[in-house]
Amino acid sequence: MVAAVCKIGLDILVLKGMDLTGRERDCMRIRKRNCLLLMGGALLVFFLAKIGWLFAQRPLIQTDYVAEYNDWSKPPGFKPDENAAFLYQKAFEAYVPKSDEVWAVDPFCLRPLPGSMIEWLKANTAAAEYFQTASDKPYYRPERFSEDGSMGGIRVPELPSFKQLAEVCIWKARLEAQEGRFEKALETLLHCWRAGNHLCSPQLFVADQFLGLRLRQMAAENLFLLLRQYSVSSSILRLWQESLEKLAAEDMHRPSFKTEKFFAEDMLQRTFLDNGRGTGRWAWRSGYPRALLASDLSAFHIYFESLKERTYFCLFGPTRNEIARQIDDLINLSDHLLQKTPWQIHQDVPSVFERFDEVERSHIFFIVSQIHLNPEAMIHTYHKTAAQMNALIAVLAVLRYKNDTGVYPKTLDKLTAEGYLRSVPMDPYSGSPMIYKVLEDGFTLYSIGEDFEDNGGTFNKETPKRDISLHIHFPDIVYWPIAVIAAAEKVPMMGQL
């Protein structure tokens, strides 16, 4: 076909130089038109063939990222005997679910534990022992398996079980404190904290790390509750404080998004064509937009727009190399931000989180793959958890000072000067020490919170965050005094400790 078109074009050029009659000129025009039609048809056929070839191509799966992740996630000098995963699994299997009566108990209520709760704890004796033994192991490294070979096919069914076993530890510690065994109660809560620290490993998924921070928060919250509920002697306060200071000093785990890179790169190889040069684009056969599967006709507009967008990215969208660089940039920027406090981010780069959203929405890859890096939530959760531990240590020092001298210290600096406190706790939302004030009936210690303004240690009792955390986080984060719903009076300490 191409040869025929070229011959016709050559004939037309020859005829242009000749003195032609009207009939010959008509023939030339016809041949010229046919030539243009043939050329256009050839280009159309070539274009359609190219489009058909592009749409028919499938992504090439070359790397088993599940296996790579399992190798990468092993701690240095990994030894199976020191891995807590097996013991945690034994604890999950031994767990006895809550009854309706146990579910009805308010976790923030300070009344003595009902008989149904005590029976539930007895039924979970074996589970608690496995859980506590596991938490003493140096690390937790589970072997991950995928349902379909992809990173997205990995399931983490153990996360709810971790929360359930942590609740067993929490209520067990509350019972031990109720019986006057305060040293044992601290030991039990520290097992919960260490289990959370296992999950905070940067080699685990981000969901694991979030849960690990939550378990650490639960342990600290319940120590606050015990301080609110019981009159604890100075010797026990000192034991608690020294144990927490040791844990805080040993805490080396900072959150990281590096595990998300395995998800992103696996999704990249499953959605982009690989031509060996990294310039392949989005593969049409990577999957259909969800709106295509919707039976509701109102989704037609969404489908039509997504279809246009999908076609555009297949033909003219970013290349595989461009998306790979973008993934690296986002993950590296996320980990860089995690090294800063919210106050530093607020001062230096106030629009950084908006930029994250813009980048994630700039390419269809991040929309369809549902890979969403959320450094903002992790930054707040991590620094709130660390600040909570530091605030708890400071509260223990204040109560020790009050027990020893009969008065509250006027400032936290006085505690450091007299050896009650190693350092004044810093507020991650102000870059300054947490605010401490002596009141007529006690004292208050708080952080200014996410609005970066000192609201005088006030909080909104109606905030929904009250349902999931002991400390109300808006507008200020008040660590002490604790606002407990329907709180009972302090229970006298059983025995002289």
Side-chain angles (χ1 to χ4, degrees):
M1 180 183 290
V2 175
V5 171
C6 293
K7 184 177 185 305
I8 294 173
L10 182 61
D11 292 343
I12 291 173
L13 291 175
V14 173
L15 290 172
K16 275 189 173 182
M18 300 173 59
D19 186 16
L20 304 174
T21 63
R23 182 179 178 85
E24 290 172 335
R25 283 194 296 271
D26 291 341
C27 290
M28 186 184 74
R29 283 196 296 269
I30 292 172
R31 296 184 70 179
K32 182 178 181 180
R33 183 192 63 187
N34 291 340
C35 176
L36 293 175
L37 289 173
L38 284 172
M39 292 176 65
L43 291 174
L44 179 61
V45 170
F46 175 79
F47 178 76
L48 292 177
K50 180 68 173 178
I51 295 298
W53 180 83
L54 285 175
F55 285 0
Q57 293 299 298
R58 291 181 180 273
L60 183 61
I61 311 300
Q62 294 180 311
T63 304
D64 185 351
Y65 281 100
V66 176
E68 287 203 353
Y69 168 76
N70 282 326
D71 289 338
W72 173 83
S73 63
K74 289 182 179 179
F78 174 76
K79 296 180 181 179
D81 292 343
E82 295 182 352
N83 185 11
F86 174 74
L87 288 170
Y88 279 131
Q89 185 60 41
K90 297 287 287 184
F92 302 155
E93 295 170 358
Y95 174 75
V96 177
K98 293 179 180 178
S99 63
D100 292 339
E101 293 82 0
V102 175
W103 275 110
V105 179
D106 183 353
F108 300 128
C109 179
L110 301 184
R111 298 186 179 93
L113 271 61
S116 59
M117 176 66 72
I118 296 174
E119 290 300 318
W120 176 70
L121 290 174
K122 289 180 179 178
N124 278 291
T125 300
E129 290 177 353
Y130 281 126
F131 187 78
Q132 293 174 3
T133 304
S135 69
D136 289 332
K137 293 289 184 179
Y139 43 76
Y140 166 64
R141 189 268 177 187
E143 185 79 10
R144 299 300 188 187
F145 301 95
S146 173
E147 296 178 350
D148 57 6
S150 70
M151 288 294 295
I154 294 177
R155 298 291 177 262
V156 283
E158 71 273 11
L159 294 188
S161 298
F162 267 105
K163 182 77 178 304
Q164 293 167 344
L165 268 297
E167 290 175 349
V168 172
C169 281
I170 295 302
W171 287 113
K172 183 172 180 285
R174 297 275 288 274
L175 177 61
E176 289 164 346
Q178 181 176 306
E179 296 170 348
R181 297 184 294 150
F182 293 100
E183 293 184 34
K184 187 64 176 176
L186 170 66
E187 180 183 339
T188 301
L189 289 175
L190 293 187
H191 284 300
C192 179
W193 195 95
R194 292 190 183 99
N197 203 39
H198 276 162
L199 292 172
C200 286
S201 169
Q203 276 73 39
L204 296 181
F205 298 152
V206 171
D208 294 301
Q209 297 176 50
F210 269 114
L211 180 60
L213 292 172
R214 180 62 194 132
L215 263 57
R216 288 163 61 168
Q217 290 174 1
M218 290 169 62
E221 286 170 359
N222 279 272
L223 278 171
F224 273 111
L225 280 174
L226 295 183
L227 292 175
R228 168 65 177 83
Q229 186 174 8
Y230 298 98
S231 298
V232 184
S233 68
S234 291
S235 61
I236 292 298
L237 292 174
R238 181 170 184 171
L239 172 66
W240 287 10
Q241 182 181 343
E242 290 176 348
S243 298
L244 296 179
E245 287 174 339
K246 182 179 179 181
L247 280 180
E250 294 174 351
D251 178 20
M252 301 299 292
H253 286 329
R254 273 186 173 267
S256 173
F257 284 94
K258 292 192 182 299
T259 56
E260 299 304 293
K261 186 175 181 179
F262 290 92
F263 285 94
E265 291 185 344
D266 186 44
M267 181 61 71
L268 185 61
Q269 76 169 347
R270 294 173 184 276
T271 54
F272 274 64
L273 298 179
D274 184 7
N275 59 9
R277 302 186 302 274
T279 56
R281 289 183 166 83
W282 181 271
W284 177 265
R285 300 188 69 176
S286 296
Y288 291 92
R290 285 199 174 90
L292 182 63
L293 305 177
S295 58
D296 187 356
L297 294 179
S298 64
F300 176 77
H301 176 72
I302 300 175
Y303 161 66
F304 182 70
E305 293 299 323
S306 64
L307 191 64
K308 290 194 302 182
E309 186 178 51
R310 182 178 171 200
T311 304
Y312 171 81
F313 277 100
C314 286
L315 300 177
F316 311 108
T319 66
R320 183 168 177 157
N321 281 343
E322 290 172 340
I323 294 294
R325 286 193 295 270
Q326 191 175 31
I327 291 170
D328 287 338
D329 290 343
L330 283 175
I331 291 176
N332 291 336
L333 180 56
S334 297
D335 283 344
H336 174 70
L337 287 174
L338 288 171
Q339 306 302 314
K340 296 187 175 185
T341 66
W343 173 250
Q344 290 171 328
I345 296 173
H346 178 70
Q347 293 293 105
D348 297 341
V349 280
S351 62
V352 65
F353 299 125
E354 286 77 4
R355 285 200 296 116
F356 260 85
D357 291 339
E358 291 174 4
V359 171
E360 288 187 323
R361 290 183 172 86
S362 64
H363 294 315
I364 192 174
F365 171 77
F366 292 99
I367 298 171
V368 177
S369 66
Q370 292 189 333
I371 295 173
H372 180 53
L373 302 179
N374 188 3
E376 183 175 11
M378 181 64 83
I379 287 167
H380 287 300
T381 304
Y382 171 74
H383 285 286
K384 284 179 179 179
T385 304
Q388 181 189 45
M389 174 65 81
N390 293 332
L392 176 56
I393 292 172
V395 168
L396 288 166
V398 171
L399 296 177
R400 280 178 58 207
Y401 186 91
K402 172 65 165 59
N403 283 358
D404 293 347
T405 65
V407 296
Y408 291 106
K410 293 183 179 180
T411 65
L412 294 181
D413 289 328
K414 187 173 181 61
L415 294 178
T416 60
E418 298 193 18
Y420 281 87
L421 189 62
R422 293 181 181 178
S423 61
V424 174
M426 299 298 292
D427 186 349
Y429 291 96
S430 69
S432 302
M434 290 185 188
I435 299 174
Y436 168 81
K437 298 177 182 178
V438 179
L439 309 175
E440 292 183 0
D441 56 347
F443 69 95
T444 185
L445 180 67
Y446 65 92
S447 160
I448 65 173
E450 294 181 34
D451 64 353
F452 300 100
E453 295 181 5
D454 182 2
N455 297 281
T458 59
F459 54 80
N460 179 9
K461 293 183 179 180
E462 302 303 322
T463 175
K465 291 184 179 181
R466 180 65 179 82
D467 295 334
I468 61 173
S469 176
L470 172 67
H471 298 109
I472 303 173
H473 291 182
F474 186 81
D476 294 334
I477 306 175
V478 182
Y479 294 109
W480 194 271
I482 298 171
V484 180
I485 300 174
E489 297 297 324
K490 282 198 173 185
V491 179
M493 183 176 59
M494 297 180 63
Q496 185 63 35
L497 301 176

